Amino acid sequence: MSGRTYYITTPIYYVNDVPHIGHAYTTLACDVLARFMRLDGRDVHFLTGTDEHGQKIEKAAAAAGLAPQAFTDKVSQSFRDLIRTMNYSPDNFIRTTEPRHYASCQALWERLVAAGDIYLGKYAGWYSVRDETYFVEGETAIGSDGKRHAISTGAEVDWVEEPSYFFKLSAWTDRLLAFYENNPGFIGPDSRRNEVISFVKGGLQDLSVSRTSFSWGIPVPGDTKHIMYVWLDALTNYITECGYPDTSNPLWKYWPANLHMVGKDIIRFHCVFWPAFLMAAGLEPPRRVFAHGWWTNEGQKISKSLGNAIDPIELVKTYGLDPVRYFLLREVPFGNDGDFQKRALIGRLNGDLANAYGNLCQRVLSIIAKNCGEKIPAKGPLHESDNALLDRARGLLATVRAELDEQAFHRALTTIWEVIADANRYVDAQAPWALAKTDPGRRDTVLWVLFETIRRITMLLQPFMPDSASRILDQLAIAADRRTFADFDHELQPGAMLPKPQGVFPRFVEAAAKAAS
């Protein structure tokens, strides 16, 4: 596994508004995977960025009284700021307004033309500016406001008639179905895979891939009256980053991507349009696309009209960064929709982090400091109970690796917390504070077993809670260069000096938060 490439991407975020919890959630999932794979010896490239073209951006910029480029510069920066706030670790941040991206998109277009998959025609149909999506008659309906809306998204649609280039998507129905059959892991979770296959089996229509009614976008090569369809433009970012069309670029080694992480609302673009574009151009599709669910807020759908958007920056200010990172990936099975509830977050913070994990670390390290001269204790003969706990801790790496390969973050964390619970029960059963008087040798063995268990748990929590895990590993005197999974089974020798233990996860008290605000 060591040295193998791992290319993971977020969708590039549309800059018509500021970041919200959905953006934070997607990028967090990618960040955890990127960090895990780096610790596991993989050659990782983690990409995020912003999608900055299209009619919706042109309108939003005009409403803000700004030129489109100035508008996108401003909003794109807010997504960069979120990276710092949430402690993400991308290797690059791409913008679709970069010159290299123009070159990449136009090169891909020319490949599609050369393959005979693009032709000039006329588009007449329903179009949603908000969704940047075309809809057929049966996918729309008249709403209570008397206007026509897309049934799936609720977005208002307008009748559009204009010259357009088309991609021969209808010719790809059988080839896409064969691709899904031969690559069963391409779409996750299974519910989304079933949705996509059903959609494609229903028959595909040729896709309009250019517009003439606005100018903010990438011109079609040889016909600059046409602007490329924003989704053809946006999806191409994933190969732009790898140097396309220059496949001798050192970054081309990362293509095809191991994983595109997306929200469920854009699964068709990534699992129908994108592989068809790529295969038509003679390029490999990505290995996997995973679509996660949406968050509601205290049981209500999040919407501008309700004013109940969840600001990730405010969450971090109130509850702390790592507790928020932990909660978002622990609370809901990844891939499902989830309801954000403050009481649930506080419950996780106080129950899982402060009481279970934090208390385990604090009391074990405090007992060691008091009874073992602030040194890693010596190991004596191991009892059955010792080996049972150690075996569970040793097995965590393989289990977590397998769960993250399936993007099952919640199951990975549940498994880790089961071992934390085992360790807390082991402390209570062994009572090392009592052994200090009756059997110091046994006391030291018990504390060594707990020390090793905490070390392994904490190493695996680095991708999820990097700052907190780093502080705990510091208290375990683990050198910075001994924290990768290559050292997971490298048991520490007794006698090393340990720093003074300090709590890492304070309890959250609601009244204190109210007073602070």
Side-chain angles (χ1 to χ4, degrees):
M1 177 171 290
S2 181
R4 284 172 48 209
T5 59
Y6 187 83
Y7 181 27
I8 183 169
T9 69
T10 72
I12 50 173
Y13 300 119
Y14 212 46
V15 293
N16 63 318
D17 207 349
V18 295
H20 55 64
I21 194 69
H23 304 118
Y25 188 51
T26 313
T27 313
L28 172 60
C30 292
D31 182 63
V32 168
L33 288 171
R35 289 176 180 273
F36 183 91
M37 296 300 173
R38 291 184 191 118
L39 289 168
D40 213 15
R42 302 288 290 272
D43 176 5
V44 172
H45 196 76
F46 168 22
L47 179 68
T48 189
T50 44
D51 178 6
E52 304 182 12
H53 289 138
Q55 190 174 8
K56 185 162 53 173
I57 300 299
E58 194 171 71
K59 287 187 172 184
L66 294 170
Q69 187 65 60
F71 178 81
T72 58
D73 287 346
K74 179 180 178 181
V75 184
S76 181
Q77 185 58 46
S78 68
F79 285 89
R80 288 183 183 270
D81 293 342
L82 185 65
I83 290 172
R84 289 192 294 272
T85 299
M86 296 296 295
N87 194 16
Y88 301 141
S89 61
D91 293 287
N92 201 15
F93 186 99
I94 193 168
R95 300 178 60 185
T96 56
T97 48
E98 295 177 39
R100 64 174 177 142
H101 184 64
Y102 276 64
S104 177
C105 287
Q106 292 181 326
L108 181 63
W109 181 282
E110 289 170 341
R111 287 282 288 271
L112 296 177
V113 170
D117 278 285
I118 285 184
Y119 64 92
L120 182 61
K122 180 181 178 181
Y123 178 75
W126 298 104
Y127 184 76
S128 162
V129 173
R130 191 187 83 183
D131 296 332
E132 301 281 11
T133 306
Y134 305 97
F135 294 96
V136 298
E137 186 79 22
E139 294 177 314
T140 69
I142 302 296
S144 58
D145 58 359
K147 298 178 180 179
R148 188 170 291 272
H149 297 261
I151 295 170
S152 59
T153 68
E156 187 176 335
V157 295
D158 298 307
W159 185 261
V160 173
E161 291 189 27
E162 61 183 333
S164 177
Y165 285 93
F166 286 82
F167 175 75
K168 293 181 181 177
L169 188 62
S170 61
W172 283 88
T173 300
D174 291 342
R175 282 176 282 185
L176 284 169
L177 291 173
F179 175 72
Y180 305 147
E181 179 71 22
N182 294 330
N183 297 275
F186 175 63
I187 306 170
D190 287 344
S191 59
R192 301 299 161 212
R193 173 179 164 80
N194 296 337
E195 172 191 318
V196 169
I197 291 174
S198 177
F199 174 74
V200 175
K201 282 183 175 178
L204 298 173
Q205 295 185 331
D206 288 353
L207 178 68
S208 174
V209 287
S210 75
R211 300 287 308 278
T212 59
S213 55
F214 66 95
S215 60
W216 182 242
I218 298 177
V220 167
D223 194 348
T224 56
K225 295 189 300 294
H226 288 258
I227 296 298
M228 286 188 200
Y229 176 41
V230 71
W231 272 104
L232 176 55
D233 166 356
L235 291 163
T236 304
N237 92 89
Y238 303 128
I239 56 175
T240 297
E241 174 66 7
C242 296
Y244 189 80
D246 179 11
T247 56
S248 66
N249 188 300
L251 291 177
W252 191 252
K253 67 177 178 177
Y254 292 109
W255 191 260
N258 295 78
L259 179 65
H260 291 329
M261 187 74 78
V262 301
K264 66 178 184 179
D265 54 323
I266 56 174
I267 189 74
R268 289 184 188 177
F269 302 105
H270 284 80
C271 294
V272 180
F273 299 174
W274 185 222
F277 294 156
L278 289 166
M279 289 190 285
L283 299 172
E284 283 191 78
R287 302 287 189 221
R288 181 168 170 83
V289 179
F290 191 96
H292 63 73
W294 290 340
W295 286 94
T296 52
N297 187 354
E298 304 288 350
Q300 287 188 310
K301 182 179 179 181
I302 295 173
S303 70
K304 284 187 177 181
S305 60
L306 292 174
N308 65 342
I310 302 170
D311 182 351
I313 296 173
E314 287 303 313
L315 283 183
V316 168
K317 286 180 181 177
T318 304
Y319 301 102
L321 172 57
D322 281 349
V324 169
R325 286 176 60 110
Y326 170 75
F327 172 80
L328 290 176
L329 292 180
R330 175 64 179 85
E331 183 68 8
V332 177
F334 197 73
N336 294 2
D337 291 339
D339 186 37
F340 181 90
Q341 297 180 355
K342 288 184 179 178
R343 60 181 175 81
L345 194 162
I346 294 169
R348 292 287 181 192
L349 198 166
N350 290 339
D352 295 5
L353 298 181
N355 291 353
Y357 178 42
N359 187 49
L360 172 68
C361 297
Q362 179 75 0
R363 65 172 172 167
V364 168
L365 291 175
S366 295
I367 295 170
I368 290 173
K370 181 178 179 181
N371 293 276
C372 304
E374 300 180 336
K375 296 178 182 178
I376 297 175
K379 174 178 66 170
L382 295 177
H383 295 184
E384 183 179 349
S385 59
D386 307 333
N387 283 319
L389 180 59
L390 286 171
D391 286 346
R392 289 215 66 187
R394 288 171 182 142
L396 278 176
L397 175 57
T399 300
V400 171
R401 185 186 285 137
E403 298 292 13
L404 293 190
D405 278 345
E406 298 294 322
Q407 292 76 59
F409 301 96
H410 60 293
R411 292 205 304 261
L413 288 168
T414 297
T415 301
I416 293 171
W417 252 259
E418 287 172 352
V419 178
I420 289 172
D422 287 344
N424 275 311
R425 285 189 288 268
Y426 174 87
V427 174
D428 294 337
Q430 299 298 325
W433 50 88
L435 289 171
K437 299 176 181 177
T438 60
D439 191 345
R442 176 64 188 155
R443 171 204 65 195
D444 288 358
T445 299
V446 166
L447 291 172
W448 180 88
V449 168
L450 286 164
F451 188 95
E452 268 300 307
T453 301
I454 291 170
R455 181 184 70 85
R456 292 171 193 264
I457 288 167
T458 306
M459 289 182 75
L460 289 171
L461 288 176
Q462 291 177 96
F464 297 92
M465 299 185 289
D467 288 346
S468 300
S470 178
R471 290 174 61 192
I472 293 170
L473 291 172
D474 287 345
Q475 294 184 51
L476 300 179
I478 311 297
D481 62 351
R482 303 305 296 268
R483 298 180 182 186
T484 70
F485 299 152
D487 286 302
F488 187 77
D489 290 322
H490 181 77
E491 295 179 347
L492 295 179
Q493 295 301 310
M497 290 296 298
L498 300 173
K500 182 179 179 181
Q502 295 180 328
V504 173
F505 296 108
R507 288 184 58 80
F508 182 86
V509 180
E510 190 85 46
K514 289 179 180 177
S517 61

